[in-house]
Amino acid sequence: MQIGVETAKAVDQRRVFVVDQDEITRAALQFMLHDEIEAHELATPEEAYAKGVDWLRPDVVLLGAAFLAERGVGLVGDLLRTFPGVRVLIVCAKAEEALALQALAAGAHGALVKPLALADVRRKVDTVLGRAGGAALVQLA
């Protein structure tokens, strides 16, 4: 574990699926979270569905906005039905904020707007998990 990581968070057995088409974004988010939470990188929603069976269900899905542009905001509803109780955060660039707002209307719980910062990502994930140290979920223009 790294300095500054809260042990209680690191052992509470919460799970995040990072589902993004961009390999670098997936790796960055997984790296930002892995000290305090079990995080898995997945390249497609189908990989998430396959991995999320039985005990490996996610508590949070960080979903890249490119999937919403490609497949529509109905993808948010699909995730919510497949993983009851999951929290969905949309990972988007400033130019994709309108799409993120549509996803929020479709049931997403918040958004992470790039550029991503370690403290912001951890705070927002903490918020949707109901942990101490949470932050505002959406900061869109």
Side-chain angles (χ1 to χ4, degrees):
M1 286 198 183
Q2 294 179 352
I3 295 172
V5 173
E6 292 183 39
T7 305
K9 289 180 182 179
V11 297
D12 79 349
Q13 299 182 346
R14 302 291 184 98
R15 183 172 297 116
V16 172
F17 282 4
V18 180
V19 184
D20 201 299
Q21 291 177 341
D22 180 45
E23 184 177 354
I24 294 170
T25 299
R26 281 194 320 266
L29 285 165
Q30 191 275 340
F31 180 77
M32 289 178 184
L33 295 170
H34 82 277
D35 283 333
E36 293 186 348
I37 195 163
E38 180 183 331
H40 300 265
E41 292 181 54
L42 303 156
T44 66
E46 291 72 28
E47 286 183 24
Y49 298 142
K51 189 165 193 136
V53 296
D54 300 326
W55 64 273
L56 202 59
R57 291 186 178 278
D59 297 293
V60 177
V61 172
L62 304 181
L63 180 65
F67 285 118
L68 299 175
E70 187 178 279
R71 302 178 186 204
V73 295
L75 180 56
V76 172
D78 293 343
L79 289 165
L80 296 173
R81 283 186 296 280
T82 302
F83 305 121
V86 75
R87 302 288 189 222
V88 178
L89 293 176
I90 306 304
V91 181
C92 65
K94 193 91 169 131
E96 299 167 312
E97 286 184 352
L99 188 56
L101 287 171
Q102 292 173 18
L104 292 171
H109 298 87
L112 294 167
V113 181
K114 296 176 183 177
L116 302 170
L118 175 71
D120 293 339
V121 170
R122 286 184 177 177
R123 237 187 333 266
K124 288 182 182 184
V125 169
D126 283 346
T127 297
V128 296
L129 289 173
R131 293 178 174 182
L137 291 179
V138 182
Q139 297 171 346
L140 304 177

